[in-house]
Amino acid sequence: MLMGEEFFVVAALGDSLTRGYRVRDPFAMDQRVPYPAQLEILLRLKLGRMVFVVNAGLNGDLTEGMIGRFNMDVASERPEAVVVWGGINDLGHARTPDHVMANLKKLYELCTEIKATPIGCTLTPTRRTSIAMLRLNDMIRTHTSEKGIILADLYPTLADAEGNLRQEYSDDGAHLTVEGYRRIAEVVLDALSPILPKIES
């Protein structure tokens, strides 16, 4: 979809954190809770026009899975921007940060191929943030800076003084509360700001 058209579409690609999973209520999916739904509201208020944020999150997904379903779940929506937030499950399956980063690079390239702006995201902290996560986040920051890719640095907004996930933002030490997902939506909104004037003009 082109910038001059009526609708502005963002695809949010990720795992259960994008899907909006909540451990205390995993089966009652309140569609207002996931960060893509909250981001859609914020964008509509900011732009004063119709905006759609497609929730392409899949519980338990790895970055390989995101690559495999990119055409069906993302490219088919013809988005202007794609928020790429993945890797925590890869690390949980003992994938190395280098392996995950290679897949994230591929996802950024796939976004460019469909003429969508990629938005890279750092991983959010957990109850016991691992050295592997910190390393991967550094790699994401370095790569996005070097390649001029927009970065939504999610980690600092949810981290406590020790670098772990702040208790008030999570019920289980990894997935987020409603407020936690709201903070993600706010950070992603800020990251999208550089491309928003293109659709307001």
Side-chain angles (χ1 to χ4, degrees):
M1 190 172 291
L2 301 175
M3 292 292 185
E5 293 185 353
E6 182 179 358
F7 301 126
F8 180 60
V9 179
V10 176
L13 179 63
D15 47 42
S16 57
L17 289 165
T18 295
R19 189 66 187 165
Y21 180 88
R22 289 174 295 156
V23 68
R24 288 189 177 175
D25 194 15
F27 301 109
M29 282 294 296
D30 186 336
Q31 295 303 314
R32 298 168 296 179
V33 169
Y35 97 80
Q38 299 196 49
L39 176 63
E40 183 175 277
I41 293 170
L42 293 175
L43 282 168
R44 289 186 180 190
L45 289 172
K46 184 178 181 68
L47 299 177
R49 61 181 293 181
M50 291 301 291
V51 177
F52 296 98
V53 180
V54 178
N55 190 332
L58 180 64
N59 290 347
D61 206 10
L62 306 180
T63 50
E64 287 95 338
M66 296 175 199
I67 292 171
R69 60 189 179 87
F70 186 89
N71 286 337
M72 179 178 293
D73 292 353
V74 176
S76 63
E77 301 290 346
R78 301 176 63 200
E80 278 82 16
V82 181
V83 184
V84 180
W85 182 18
I88 190 168
N89 291 324
D90 299 66
L91 297 179
H93 284 76
R95 306 290 201 276
T96 66
D98 296 272
H99 174 90
V100 182
M101 191 67 234
N103 286 339
L104 292 175
K105 289 178 182 178
K106 176 62 176 176
L107 287 166
Y108 303 151
E109 291 168 2
L110 289 172
C111 295
T112 302
E113 288 173 8
I114 64 167
K115 296 180 172 55
T117 301
I119 310 295
C121 297
T122 54
L123 301 189
T124 46
T126 61
R127 181 177 291 129
R128 290 189 179 87
T129 301
S130 68
I131 297 298
M133 178 185 288
L134 295 177
R135 182 168 174 242
L136 177 58
N137 279 348
D138 284 342
M139 295 171 74
I140 293 170
R141 294 185 186 106
T142 298
H143 179 77
T144 53
S145 176
E146 290 177 348
K147 298 299 182 180
I149 296 170
I150 296 173
L151 174 67
D153 199 352
L154 306 180
Y155 176 85
T157 196
L158 300 186
D160 62 17
E162 287 73 42
N164 298 315
L165 182 56
R166 289 170 59 178
Q167 186 173 357
E168 65 266 31
Y169 289 143
S170 180
D171 295 327
D172 65 355
H175 298 96
L176 305 180
T177 60
V178 176
E179 180 59 29
Y181 288 123
R182 181 174 298 116
R183 292 293 297 121
I184 297 301
E186 291 168 351
V187 175
V188 174
L189 176 67
D190 287 342
L192 285 167
S193 292
I195 68 170
L196 297 184
K198 296 178 183 178
I199 66 167
E200 293 177 324
S201 58

